[in-house]
Amino acid sequence: MIDKTPGKEGKTDLSEITLICRCEDVTLKEIRDLIAEGYTTAEEIKRITRCGMGPCQGRTCRELLLAEIARALEEKVDKIAPTRYRPPTKPIRLGGIIEGDADDLG
Amino acid sequence: MKVMPMTWARATSSRIADELPKTADAVVIGGGVIGTSIAYHLAKKGFGRIALVERSYLACGSSGRCGAGVRQQWGTKLNCLLSIDSVKAFERMDEELGYSRSIEFKQGGYLLLAYTRREAEQFRENVRLQQELGIPVSLLTPSEAREIVPILNTDCVHLATFCPTDGHANPFHVTYAYATAGKRLGVKIHTFTEAYDIMTESGKVEGVKTNKGTISTDVVICAAGPYSGVVARMVGLDIPFYPERHQILVTEPVEPVLGPMVMSFSRRFYCQQTPHGSFIMGMGDPKEKPGFSVSSTWEFLVEMAEEITKVLPPVGQLSVVRQWAGLYDMTPDAHPILGSTPCAGLYLACGFSGHGFMLAPVTGKLISEIVCDEEPSIDIHGLDLGRFERGELVIEPSVV
């Protein structure tokens, strides 16, 4: 049984080296510290840490962030408001929007 | 008059909120950068028990959606004076507010581009005024502008102006910095708390009704950004003011290549590179109709891409990561409405017309002075609500 209490995962605090947002290098510890400070909405944590603002648009970290907030608030994860989905779904090159991108033959 | 609550934020389970007080010495409506700055400045003056109500989370509206520029290059003396004061505040904000993070104030300057002869003439006039007021601005030839921004395409540029102490900051952090500093001084911040009515008795403010309860108070400060018209109507006040959507986008981060904010009024665009490395850019649309929509459009993406690849060609190589929109709170003269109203106890701090973020520090200071019945440190009596009835508009020629 792994002790999941923050700071007790072993000798080192694993939350310090556990990445939640891979695009913006946001660690689990940063998220937990913010929740402890009173930032308990995904939108606020996103704005402070940039968690979910990277090129992948939060594909991985959104759920992880929501789960962490839910855990701290002792709520079900579906009760936690997710961050807003914003276009574009995938990054698009600005120049490509105008002239079209080169063909995909490689 | 009762206005029904609007649904904007989705449900939240933020439970770390204090219970709403029954009474307060002042209630600030709006948890954006203006409202949090006012609450902080009032608390700093020891005004008493201050409550701030925000219907969603802090900086969820215009503050958190803005281009975040801070400039002193204006066409009216008043806007210049207000922004000089604000820049000083941004320079020492991390320290003054004891903020544990950083507001990321980057003074890379603002490079304004004149594309028409008329615009060039206006710029010359503006620079005369700005220099008189001590703003370190200079007129540049197109090739001098390219020395500052090597990636700039100067085709059709008549001249440029540059002020090195202009810049931009992170609007989320500025709002949270004011909020945390305010809390430290005793301000009670109530998020997900929506004011839906202001109670009055014989023309005087008596309290605020919210979805979480009622607060009795003699002083209400409206800092509700584009929703300030809705708030003013709660006491039967009509302010000449309309919300207008402005769209914006951000790219992937890259190495620093752009120092200043690059901006054109006639072509209505602006573009900056954040300390994080991403480029943030926006464009006004003259066809935009007044309204509360903050949806993003495909058309904006295309128009913005067309414009930016012309002006800063290498930026065309970058990918757009995200686009969004926010609301300007537009007044007929593009100046804010600051001060008291015919309803005793109700003060307005709204109508910033797209430059509320940069004026937040000075606005907080001035409104706190007015509420405390002191002479404001900058003469802003011309920015009162009454100017529209008197026909004394203070027209700002230089806005995007």
Side-chain angles (χ1 to χ4, degrees):
Chain A
M1 191 65 186
I2 300 164
D3 185 358
K4 287 180 183 167
T5 318
K8 288 190 182 171
E9 290 95 333
K11 275 184 186 166
T12 50
D13 180 354
L14 288 181
S15 71
E16 280 181 35
I17 52 167
T18 305
L19 280 180
I20 295 295
C21 174
R22 299 181 294 191
C23 300
E24 299 290 341
D25 287 347
V26 182
T27 65
L28 179 58
K29 180 160 192 324
E30 286 174 76
I31 304 286
R32 285 181 177 166
D33 286 350
L34 281 169
I35 295 171
E37 273 183 55
Y39 294 105
T40 54
T41 64
E43 296 282 12
E44 287 168 310
I45 293 171
K46 168 183 161 185
R47 279 158 179 74
I48 292 174
T49 60
R50 307 190 51 85
C51 183
M53 282 189 181
C56 93
Q57 284 268 39
R59 271 185 182 71
T60 306
C61 62
R62 179 183 281 111
E63 307 304 323
L64 296 173
L65 173 59
L66 294 177
E68 198 51 36
I69 296 172
R71 208 176 69 113
L73 298 179
E74 295 169 7
E75 283 279 5
K76 288 208 167 116
V77 73
D78 61 1
K79 293 277 184 284
I80 308 298
T83 54
R84 183 130 189 119
Y85 290 78
R86 298 204 190 280
T89 309
K90 275 189 165 182
I92 325 168
R93 206 170 59 83
L94 274 165
I97 294 168
I98 309 308
E99 80 257 10
D101 263 322
D103 62 50
D104 59 359
L105 298 175
Chain B
M1 188 172 117
K2 190 173 163 169
V3 178
M4 287 310 288
M6 285 160 293
T7 48
W8 188 13
R10 285 148 295 160
T12 174
S13 55
S14 180
R15 300 192 308 194
I16 309 183
D18 289 320
E19 208 175 304
L20 205 67
K22 296 262 181 294
T23 62
D25 295 302
V27 174
V28 179
I29 300 178
V33 71
I34 298 289
T36 52
S37 170
I38 292 170
Y40 162 75
H41 281 91
L42 273 175
K44 199 175 144 197
K45 282 187 165 296
F47 190 73
R49 298 156 304 159
I50 298 149
L52 183 150
V53 293
E54 160 56 50
R55 68 173 171 175
S56 185
Y57 54 92
L58 296 180
C60 68
S62 300
S63 303
R65 296 161 183 272
C66 76
V70 177
R71 69 171 151 123
Q72 299 155 99
Q73 300 183 63
W74 293 96
T76 68
K77 185 178 171 186
L78 203 44
N79 266 340
C80 287
L81 291 176
L82 293 172
S83 57
I84 291 170
D85 204 272
S86 268
V87 164
K88 284 191 195 128
F90 279 114
E91 283 171 348
R92 54 186 157 75
M93 190 172 287
D94 281 330
E95 206 180 332
E96 185 193 327
L97 301 182
Y99 191 48
S100 61
R101 297 180 179 87
S102 166
I103 64 154
E104 298 168 10
F105 187 40
K106 169 184 160 188
Q107 283 173 295
Y110 253 66
L111 185 72
L112 303 183
L113 306 172
Y115 281 100
T116 65
R117 203 169 299 155
R118 210 174 122 223
E119 199 170 24
E121 218 23 73
Q122 179 72 53
F123 277 23
R124 285 201 180 87
E125 238 175 80
N126 289 1
V127 164
R128 269 194 294 275
L129 168 75
Q130 292 155 8
Q131 287 177 339
E132 259 174 47
L133 297 169
I135 297 169
V137 61
S138 44
L139 276 172
L140 304 181
T141 62
S143 61
E144 286 169 332
R146 208 165 36 230
E147 279 170 33
I148 293 169
V149 179
I151 61 171
L152 179 70
N153 172 5
T154 52
D155 284 357
C156 306
V157 173
H158 281 234
L159 58 82
T161 65
F162 181 68
C163 173
T165 53
D166 291 349
H168 47 81
N170 182 316
F172 312 129
H173 285 300
V174 172
T175 307
Y176 297 139
Y178 274 126
T180 46
K183 277 191 214 166
R184 225 176 288 131
L185 296 172
V187 173
K188 299 287 179 211
I189 292 184
H190 304 276
T191 52
F192 300 97
T193 304
E194 180 167 349
Y196 64 88
D197 199 14
I198 297 174
M199 302 171 309
T200 56
E201 182 65 49
S202 349
K204 277 172 64 182
V205 166
E206 293 243 295
V208 177
K209 282 186 183 165
T210 79
N211 59 341
K212 303 265 176 78
T214 299
I215 312 173
S216 298
T217 184
D218 298 333
V219 174
V220 171
I221 299 138
C222 168
Y227 292 90
S228 297
V230 179
V231 173
R233 276 197 294 280
M234 292 173 189
V235 299
L237 208 59
D238 243 327
I239 53 180
F241 163 98
Y242 62 93
E244 183 182 277
R245 175 178 65 178
H246 282 247
Q247 300 193 59
I248 187 165
L249 63 81
V250 64
T251 69
E252 60 193 321
V254 285
E255 293 297 308
V257 288
L258 180 64
M261 174 86 88
V262 176
M263 187 176 214
S264 157
F265 301 120
S266 55
R267 288 168 70 164
R268 308 179 321 274
F269 68 80
Y270 62 87
C271 178
Q272 57 129 309
Q273 186 179 19
T274 66
H276 166 260
S278 51
F279 280 70
I280 288 182
M281 61 194 83
M283 247 178 103
D285 178 0
K287 300 186 295 290
E288 188 70 45
K289 302 231 174 8
F292 287 106
S293 163
V294 285
S295 57
S296 300
T297 66
W298 175 249
E299 290 84 349
F300 163 72
L301 192 56
V302 175
E303 280 167 28
M304 190 75 242
E306 273 173 356
E307 196 67 358
I308 209 67
T309 49
K310 278 183 216 149
V311 181
L312 301 169
V315 177
Q317 297 303 315
L318 301 182
S319 289
V320 187
V321 171
R322 199 164 53 255
Q323 64 174 118
W324 68 96
L327 298 172
Y328 279 20
D329 44 354
M330 299 299 298
T331 61
D333 59 4
H335 273 80
I337 306 169
L338 301 175
S340 59
T341 64
C343 175
L346 176 67
Y347 299 86
L348 297 177
C350 60
F352 290 92
S353 307
H355 45 278
F357 172 68
M358 64 180 83
L359 295 182
V362 70
T363 299
K365 186 171 87 174
L366 293 169
I367 292 289
S368 70
E369 290 163 352
I370 292 171
V371 171
C372 292
D373 227 359
E374 295 167 13
E375 193 60 38
S377 45
I378 295 176
D379 180 6
I380 49 161
H381 76 268
L383 294 183
D384 67 337
L385 178 61
R387 75 177 184 271
F388 302 107
E389 260 179 36
R390 297 193 304 271
E392 293 170 4
L393 302 196
V394 205
I395 308 281
E396 171 55 63
S398 300
V399 279
V400 171

